[in-house]
Amino acid sequence: MAWSKLKLDEVAVRRTKLLKLRREGVRYDDERVEALGYSSPNAARRDLNRALEAHRDEERAEVSVYRQQENERLDALLEAAWPCATQPQPVFDKEGEVVGQQLDLRAVDTVIRLIDRRAKLNGLDMPVKTEVTGADGGPLAMSTADPDKLAALIAATSRLDTDTPANTATSTPDEDDDEDEETS
């Protein structure tokens, strides 16, 4: 038997209160969670998971509607640009005489961008594979760095945007700032 509207509203209110408590860091076994009417901490946990799943389903549905609307807009734009991109158009000279025909390259570019946007929107593009290699395409050399070398590297790269980079392996940026103020 389906739940009544009143029962659905009660569940929604209880779940909202439970979610608020969980966001505040309240544990499932806290008396405030039990006061909401849950028979055990596991019952509260399961109810919250059901609520979150329902919310994910609603989000997926919203995303699906958005994607459909965007696809329809892209269809309309593609329909408008397609004839100019695929059928040669007359080329006129200064006197208005037809001297030839050619494709509208701006329309071709527009069509390509619309197709690219559709592929991205619908996840049609293959993921890009990236491979990191060492010198001359060989294997990447990995090693451990001693703390002094690591600190020197950090110091050398952390202050590249200043005229006088930090030059200590043991100082912190705050200490370097204090030294600059003392010398000023």
Side-chain angles (χ1 to χ4, degrees), residues 5-177:
K5 176 126 174 76
L6 178 62
K7 179 71 173 170
L8 290 173
D9 288 344
E10 289 173 358
V11 169
V13 167
R14 183 178 64 208
R15 285 178 174 172
T16 301
K17 290 177 181 177
L18 176 62
L19 184 58
K20 182 177 184 268
L21 289 172
R22 291 294 297 151
R23 283 185 177 155
E24 293 172 359
V26 175
R27 296 169 42 111
Y28 287 108
D29 59 359
D30 188 278
E31 62 189 32
R32 291 174 284 180
V33 172
E34 290 177 14
L36 294 175
Y38 292 103
S39 59
S40 69
N42 282 336
R45 184 178 291 112
R46 283 192 306 269
D47 194 35
L48 185 61
N49 285 336
R50 280 192 293 269
L52 293 174
E53 270 309 308
H55 188 65
R56 283 188 203 110
D57 291 342
E58 291 170 8
E59 285 177 351
R60 279 189 216 107
E62 287 295 321
V63 167
S64 179
V65 168
Y66 168 74
R67 185 174 287 120
Q68 180 61 34
Q69 288 175 337
E70 287 300 306
N71 276 315
E72 290 172 4
R73 289 178 181 139
L74 291 170
D75 285 343
L77 292 170
L78 191 58
E79 185 178 335
W82 189 260
C84 295
T86 58
Q87 299 169 3
Q89 303 295 316
V91 177
F92 300 98
D93 63 9
K94 292 180 182 178
E95 287 81 37
E97 304 282 326
V98 175
V99 293
Q101 293 188 339
Q102 70 179 36
L103 291 177
D104 182 349
L105 297 181
R106 286 179 36 193
V108 171
D109 184 53
T110 300
V111 166
I112 290 171
R113 285 187 284 134
L114 288 168
I115 291 171
D116 183 52
R117 176 67 187 117
R118 181 187 304 275
K120 287 178 185 174
L121 177 67
N122 295 309
L124 301 176
D125 291 338
M126 294 292 294
V128 177
K129 291 184 179 182
T130 304
E131 184 175 315
V132 179
T133 60
D136 299 322
L140 185 61
M142 301 290 288
S143 66
T144 57
D146 67 67
D148 291 335
K149 286 183 181 177
L150 185 57
L153 254 167
I154 292 170
T157 58
S158 67
R159 300 286 178 105
L160 291 178
D161 59 338
T162 64
D163 293 335
T164 56
N167 189 20
T168 63
T170 57
S171 65
T172 63
D174 292 336
E175 290 172 349
D176 289 340
D177 292 341

